[in-house]
Amino acid sequence: MSQIDTQAYLDTHLYLEKAIEGLSAEALRWKEKPESWSVTEVLTHLLDHNLVVSFRIREILAASAAQLPGFNQDQWVNGQRGNESNAQEILETYQALLRFNRLLFGRLTEEDLVKTGINHKGVTVQIPEIVAGFIKHVHHHIGQIERVKQAWAQVKQ
């Protein structure tokens, strides 16, 4: 059975911190195109994703019969005016949620880890898979942050 890689989960915060290190407020909010996300909006999305994943995990633990929710990421980021947020505050909140979930992970039993839920795509999932998917998703967006930084550097030359 797959276990939760708690360290990789917690390390996502460190990787995000490193990804934005040295960026000015202007660079954090810059958008290559109006429909593209800024670095701050990517961070906003990742915090939203962390919240949704946290909810999904709790739904599974509660043995809920409800389908695990998806969310409209673009509307969430736009609706909360994500680009007007402060990147450091987003990351502080993100880290707090990681730490809170780590405490939960430490209390989970073998029976908890094999409980299942049905995701928004209709696929049966377990908590370790959800956490692994979350980690992979964060790394995907770190790549997006790197692409935004490269485009910003080209504009500023």
Side-chain angles (χ1 to χ4, degrees):
M1 175 186 49
S2 174
Q3 296 296 314
I4 296 171
D5 188 346
T6 305
Q7 192 58 55
Y9 176 76
L10 292 173
D11 285 348
T12 61
H13 176 264
L14 175 65
Y15 291 127
L16 290 169
E17 284 278 354
K18 286 182 179 180
I20 70 163
E21 191 173 59
L23 292 178
S24 67
E26 181 184 12
L28 287 165
R29 291 191 172 103
W30 178 80
K31 297 168 80 146
E32 187 172 13
K33 298 179 236 171
E35 66 276 8
S36 299
W37 280 350
S38 68
V39 171
T40 299
E41 288 171 323
V42 172
L43 297 176
T44 299
H45 163 68
L46 290 172
L47 177 54
D48 289 343
H49 188 242
N50 201 354
L51 290 166
V52 171
V53 164
S54 298
F55 181 84
R56 290 172 183 162
I57 289 167
R58 284 153 178 82
E59 280 291 291
I60 289 173
L61 292 173
S64 172
Q67 188 170 21
L68 302 174
F71 68 109
N72 187 320
Q73 61 187 23
D74 293 317
Q75 289 181 337
W76 279 39
V77 168
N78 292 335
Q80 63 187 300
R81 293 179 173 81
N83 209 30
E84 297 172 26
S85 299
N86 176 287
Q88 206 54 49
E89 290 173 354
I90 294 167
L91 285 177
E92 288 170 8
T93 305
Y94 176 91
Q95 184 180 39
L97 188 53
L98 291 176
R99 288 178 175 164
F100 187 68
N101 284 334
R102 177 188 47 85
L103 296 172
L104 169 62
F105 298 160
R107 295 190 302 269
L108 298 181
T109 65
E110 293 296 318
E111 293 79 24
D112 293 327
L113 294 173
V114 296
K115 289 180 179 179
T116 62
I118 306 297
N119 72 13
H120 62 285
K121 296 176 183 176
V123 177
T124 301
V125 293
Q126 295 177 329
I127 294 168
E129 293 171 282
I130 291 173
V131 175
F134 172 82
I135 295 165
K136 183 178 178 182
H137 186 81
V138 172
H139 286 284
H140 165 77
H141 283 293
I142 289 170
Q144 181 182 13
I145 290 169
E146 292 304 321
R147 289 186 296 278
V148 172
K149 287 167 47 177
Q150 289 171 5
W152 168 254
Q154 291 296 316
V155 167
K156 287 309 207 180
Q157 283 186 355

